[in-house]
Amino acid sequence: MRKRWWIAGILTVVLTAGFGTGNGNQQLNMAGQDGITHVYAAECPDEKTEIIPFRGRESYILSEWELETEGKLEQAAMVKQYISTMTLREKVCQMIIADPENLVTTHDVTKVDAEMKQALADYPVGGIMLKSRNIENKKQLKKLLKNLQKQSEIALFLAVDEEGGKVSRVLSNLGNREGGTIDPMYEYKDDGTDTAFENARELGSNLAYYGFNLDFAPVADVWSNPKNTVIGKRAYSDDYEQAAELIPYAVEGFHAGGVMCTLKHFPGHGDTVEDSHYGTAYVRATLKELETQEFVPFRAGIRAGADCVMIGHLVVPDISDQPADLSETLVTGCLRNELAFHGLIITDSFQMEAITDHYEPGEAAVLAIRAGVDLILEPEDLGETVEGILTASDKGELTEKRIDESVERILMAKQVNGIQIDRKIKKQ
């Protein structure tokens, strides 16, 4: 298969803000694994280089998101033009994935009522994450997601935690449309890559049927510490290399099922004792140890084309005394630059006590954005979060250029994945 490698140079000009991290001088790297040829970093190979398909999708990552944007320069130009028409407040709201109860605080949301319509007009968030409390039955869920999308001027990421096993919102409530059950991923660790692919495809297919377009899975953490209870059997393996073998097939499975996917919880939650839902969790490894252990499955998933990476509220004392999603060293230095991830970086839920015990809503959001995060998940208080970011911008603590970088990434991710960013922009 021959590719128009010259596209990288054009994209560097067209996508100046959102799709790269200034690593254009890196050397080209080639790595083969299981018959897959991975091409990554920024420079282009010889035009005759063959890219071997991985599960029907070319598995390579270059700078500037060539995989998603090749042949879609017109879409990229549209995105940039659209951003130029947005207010700063609209941009800030796009950087938030809220749960419905962030928007409607008086009751659990199971339908789009007048209060929800007004809330979406006041806070045009980038996405909404549903919980079990928002799901009653199949017909209700399809209608809820359809109406949420219909009500939003800019199409939404409609997200959910659906990992299989105990972390399930849809299948646990509505069953598996394809029959049977999907157990925790650890139970399948020795069943091979085909099973990893098929489980993810089933999960993705179920979600896409109802209208979801983003899943917060697969878990790329490795259950390396038997005392760890928050990850446990949610992990694909207790072995770094085995997890790195399985995760790429899971990524491809979610895509085959029809949804975007998310690697979590960078830099790795599998060797912690504490649970970040209820307080600070520590990763005791050194950076060198992380690079050869915890980063391995994340690196494999990134090369397979994962759309998002979720950063955990994990403190790595060897690197920073802040949670990882507030640390520029971990977000930009390690994930964006060292692992060459050019997709969307999202925080873990900002309603977890590892954040709420130590930071005000606006303060945490500003620190995360300054660190390099694109999306804030489930802020403790939506209004305070938006106002905190706007105030930081007014004070010069956060530039609009930095905000634009993330918004361009967000809108382009929507556009190239068929999530129409605005009804006034025609699909290409």
Side-chain angles (χ1 to χ4, degrees):
M1 181 177 295
R2 296 168 66 86
K3 304 299 293 180
R4 293 176 297 160
W5 297 108
W6 48 265
I7 205 77
I10 298 175
L11 280 165
T12 300
V13 176
V14 175
L15 306 180
T16 54
F19 308 108
T21 55
N23 59 353
N25 293 323
Q26 294 178 6
Q27 295 297 312
L28 174 71
N29 294 289
M30 301 284 293
Q33 180 182 348
D34 297 333
I36 306 164
T37 295
H38 298 285
V39 182
Y40 51 102
E43 295 186 3
C44 296
D46 182 86
E47 200 174 41
K48 295 181 180 179
T49 298
E50 182 179 7
I51 306 300
I52 300 173
F54 176 53
R55 284 287 179 185
R57 176 170 168 164
E58 293 160 339
S59 181
Y60 63 94
I61 293 295
L62 299 168
S63 68
E64 313 296 355
W65 272 13
E66 287 93 341
L67 177 59
E68 286 80 8
T69 58
E70 184 181 22
K72 298 179 180 176
L73 296 180
E74 191 171 347
Q75 283 188 336
M78 286 178 178
V79 166
K80 292 180 74 68
Q81 176 61 32
Y82 188 80
I83 290 173
S84 71
T85 70
M86 296 173 71
T87 66
L88 179 59
R89 191 174 187 281
E90 288 171 333
K91 295 175 187 178
V92 168
C93 287
Q94 276 298 297
M95 297 180 70
I96 296 171
I97 293 185
D99 65 36
E101 288 70 34
N102 281 137
L103 291 153
V104 174
T105 60
T106 58
H107 58 271
D108 288 347
V109 174
T110 56
K111 63 181 180 179
V112 177
D113 55 15
E115 192 173 355
M116 174 58 82
K117 290 179 180 179
Q118 185 60 52
L120 284 171
D122 293 339
Y123 292 94
V125 293
I128 293 179
M129 175 188 182
L130 263 59
K131 301 287 188 66
S132 292
R133 63 180 175 238
N134 307 120
I135 300 172
E136 294 180 332
N137 56 62
K138 296 176 180 179
K139 182 177 180 181
Q140 170 267 336
L141 178 58
K142 289 189 76 169
K143 185 175 181 180
L144 172 61
L145 292 174
K146 179 181 179 180
N147 287 340
L148 284 170
Q149 202 65 282
K150 181 179 179 181
Q151 194 60 39
S152 181
E153 180 178 351
I154 301 176
L156 297 161
F157 288 127
L158 294 174
V160 69
D161 270 325
E162 194 72 34
E163 301 173 6
K166 68 178 183 179
V167 180
S168 170
R169 311 291 182 245
V170 178
L171 271 68
S172 62
N173 283 286
L174 306 179
N176 183 354
R177 296 180 63 250
E178 300 190 22
T181 59
I182 299 179
D183 295 323
M185 291 300 106
Y186 187 83
E187 301 292 349
Y188 305 98
K189 71 183 182 72
D190 296 322
D191 292 345
T193 54
D194 286 348
T195 298
F197 174 88
E198 186 58 25
N199 282 336
R201 187 204 60 76
E202 277 192 43
L203 291 170
S205 177
N206 273 273
L207 299 184
Y209 170 78
Y210 294 106
F212 290 103
N213 51 42
L214 173 61
D215 192 7
F216 293 138
V219 172
D221 307 309
V222 176
W223 189 22
S224 57
N225 186 342
K227 295 180 180 180
N228 181 298
T229 58
V230 64
I231 298 300
K233 291 188 176 182
R234 296 166 64 190
Y236 277 69
S237 179
D238 53 5
D239 178 82
Y240 298 106
E241 294 301 328
Q242 185 179 48
E245 180 182 9
L246 298 174
I247 289 295
Y249 286 85
V251 169
E252 293 298 325
F254 283 112
H255 290 160
V259 295
M260 300 169 66
C261 68
T262 308
L263 305 175
K264 63 184 187 184
H265 309 78
F266 189 84
H269 208 332
D271 191 24
T272 61
V273 176
E274 306 88 357
D275 184 342
S276 54
H277 289 84
Y278 307 111
T280 302
Y282 293 91
V283 178
R284 304 295 181 182
T286 65
L287 176 57
K288 185 174 181 179
E289 289 170 334
L290 289 172
E291 290 171 340
T292 59
Q293 296 175 358
E294 303 288 352
F295 288 3
V296 174
F298 284 96
R299 187 178 288 112
I302 287 167
R303 292 177 186 172
D307 306 282
C308 309
V309 173
M310 180 180 290
I311 311 280
H313 308 313
L314 308 170
V315 175
V316 186
D318 186 56
I319 297 173
S320 173
D321 59 358
Q322 293 179 303
D325 43 4
L326 310 186
S327 166
E328 185 175 3
T329 301
L330 283 162
V331 175
T332 298
C334 292
L335 179 56
R336 190 68 85 190
N337 292 341
E338 182 182 341
L339 272 65
F341 179 61
H342 303 290
L344 297 173
I345 299 177
I346 182 170
T347 70
D348 206 341
S349 171
F350 266 20
Q351 295 178 17
M352 293 162 63
E353 291 178 21
I355 294 296
T356 60
D357 285 353
H358 304 284
Y359 302 93
E360 294 299 321
E363 176 191 15
V366 170
L367 289 171
I369 295 169
R370 288 174 63 179
V373 163
D374 299 308
L375 288 159
I376 308 298
L377 178 62
E378 292 187 299
E380 182 184 17
D381 186 289
L382 180 59
E384 288 184 26
T385 298
V386 171
E387 292 307 315
I389 298 170
L390 291 173
T391 298
S393 178
D394 288 342
K395 293 180 177 179
E397 298 170 1
L398 194 62
T399 68
E400 187 165 0
K401 179 181 178 181
R402 166 67 194 90
I403 292 170
D404 285 351
E405 289 174 359
S406 286
V407 175
E408 186 168 350
R409 234 181 245 116
I410 291 163
L411 297 188
M412 194 63 186
K414 291 181 178 182
Q415 195 73 356
V416 301
N417 282 284
I419 307 169
Q420 195 65 22
I421 64 171
D422 186 85
R423 296 182 182 89
K424 296 189 289 296
I425 298 179
K426 297 179 181 179
K427 287 186 177 181
Q428 298 303 299

